[in-house]
Amino acid sequence: MSDLGDQAGTQLSAELSALDVAARRALAALAFVGRAPVASETLGEVSGVVDVRPVVAELERRQLIIQEPGDRVSVAPAVQGRLKRLLVTDEVVDAVIRGLIRRAEDGRLDPGDIGAVDEATRVASETGRWPELLRLAQAAEPTLAATQRVDEWARIVERRLEAARALGDEPAAVHARQELDRLAGMSAPTRVMTGRSEAARPVPEGRQTNWPLVVLAGVALAALGVGIGYLIGDQTAETTTITERSPAVTNVVTETGEATTVQETVTTTQTETETVTETETVTVTTPRR
């Protein structure tokens, strides 16, 4: 395994020795941002290479970088770690951060370069480059808002807040905190049901209880002498109980000579102090004696 590593290292050293200054600068810039893809135009600006396309073609031929969709390039994963150790210096870091700041402040930051901004702000945070970090994070905000890449956006704003605090810039810190609160809201589900049980949800329209029919049915069953109790509840946890009833019948007989009128008053009682009274009048005609 060690022999294979030594062989790969020797081959990489040979490839690097064959590169001209422009190619080495471009490769160092890509190694700094790691796996984040960078637009070819952005790579030319942050590395100081005027005509970057021939450089990109050469680095790809040597299998040091790979092409990404949308005219973007990134360092080859197999050599990423070694290239970072060999090529990335403080000078390279400063050059890349300055180039990203220029593009962001001029409104030329490519949405596909957000990954490079994320990595640049991470390194700036780790190395204490607070002014550069704050400036880059603030300038990149419109592009971040347009891409809606909330995870990277939140990480960059957190570093912006860190830089603002380190610099004692309270207005910038307040703005960063407000931005983080807003991003937290964007990440949450649009509807959160908390503290509501099934019983608290509205009853669907087609499932509501028809109470008049329930009462009439209870009266009819009571009149037939069927001792059945009803416990009827809807989903709003408001329960009305119809108790077992025994009809109280009052007969009033009135004789008029020609006919006899029998008036029956049937009284039934429902819980919750509701009383339903039905009066039925029956006229019976009898021959006059």
Side-chain angles (χ1 to χ4, degrees), residues 130 134 138 159-174 176:
W130 305 121
L134 183 59
Q138 289 175 331
R159 294 169 192 147
R160 192 172 92 196
L161 176 59
E162 183 184 16
R165 286 171 172 168
L167 296 170
D169 190 337
E170 186 57 29
V174 170

Side-chain angles (χ1 to χ4, degrees), residues 116-167:
V117 173
D118 187 12
E119 179 63 14
T121 55
R122 184 189 68 80
V123 174
S125 173
E126 291 178 353
T127 57
R129 289 173 165 87
W130 305 121
E132 294 85 356
L133 195 165
L134 183 59
R135 190 174 167 189
L136 175 58
Q138 289 175 331
E141 185 173 343
T143 306
L144 286 164
T147 60
Q148 294 291 304
R149 288 160 64 169
V150 178
D151 290 341
E152 289 168 315
W153 192 353
R155 286 197 300 268
I156 293 170
V157 176
E158 285 172 355
R159 294 169 192 147
R160 192 172 92 196
L161 176 59
E162 183 184 16
R165 286 171 172 168
L167 296 170

